Amino acid sequence: MLVERIFVFFLVIVASHQRIIFPGCKPLTADQLMEKLGNGFIAQYMSLHGNFDRNHPLYYNQHGICRSELVVEKLPDDYFPRFIRHVKCSSEEDVCLTGKSCQTVEAYIRILRREVTMLCDKDGYQRWTTISRQIGGGCECAVETF
């Protein structure tokens, strides 16, 4: 009995560091994950396969006083959606006006992260948690904050 408890404790420690997915919990489909995320899916910023919908362009300041650029991040398998698009200043910290500098505007989106656990949800599926993720929402000339 003691050996079994030590082994389970060891598995939990290893799993928390290596993102091991234990057999027995059914994976959620993309449709189920979309439903779980609810209205948190924002097509301008998120994609399932890296193909961003042309009907949902992301407008950003390309030619203003502070230049910005699009960034596409591919997240690990334990996040949903896997592709995030956002804006960052390509001229971060540049002086734009007296006493001001170009700064990336912070925005937050909701995404899902698969939990590292041996326990399934009540229906036998993997557990996913909604988390908040900071992204760049634009670039503006602003007073420096310390």
Side-chain angles (χ1 to χ4, degrees):
M1 186 71 164
L2 178 61
V3 172
E4 290 173 359
R5 285 186 181 182
I6 291 172
F7 181 70
V8 169
F9 177 75
F10 175 75
L11 283 178
V12 169
I13 297 299
V14 169
S16 65
H17 292 289
Q18 296 184 0
R19 297 276 192 214
I20 294 173
I21 303 304
F22 292 97
C25 296
K26 298 178 283 189
L28 290 170
T29 66
D31 288 339
Q32 289 170 312
L33 290 167
M34 286 286 280
E35 185 177 327
K36 190 170 192 63
L37 190 57
N39 62 2
F41 187 86
I42 305 169
Q44 287 89 343
Y45 296 100
M46 303 173 177
S47 171
L48 303 182
H49 308 291
N51 304 334
F52 288 90
D53 188 348
R54 292 176 191 241
N55 295 324
H56 297 96
L58 185 60
Y59 297 104
Y60 62 102
N61 185 8
Q62 294 174 313
H63 307 292
I65 195 167
C66 292
R67 293 177 318 278
S68 57
E69 60 190 70
L70 282 176
V71 176
V72 175
E73 289 182 64
K74 181 180 179 182
L75 303 178
D77 290 342
D78 52 350
Y79 289 89
F80 181 86
R82 296 267 323 274
F83 295 90
I84 305 295
R85 177 174 66 171
H86 60 96
V87 178
K88 75 170 193 170
C89 285
S90 54
S91 56
E92 188 88 36
E93 303 293 321
D94 285 359
V95 173
C96 48
L97 296 171
T98 303
K100 296 183 177 186
S101 66
C102 296
Q103 298 176 22
T104 299
V105 177
E106 294 177 1
Y108 292 86
I109 57 173
R110 289 182 3 208
I111 61 174
L112 298 174
R113 182 178 60 208
R114 185 173 39 223
E115 292 181 23
V116 178
T117 180
M118 290 187 287
L119 303 175
C120 305
D121 70 8
K122 63 181 173 57
D123 297 319
Y125 288 98
Q126 295 170 340
R127 293 175 178 253
W128 289 76
T129 303
T130 302
I131 62 168
S132 182
R133 181 178 174 89
Q134 180 182 327
I135 61 169
C139 183
E140 68 179 20
C141 185
V143 175
E144 292 190 41
T145 55
F146 299 99

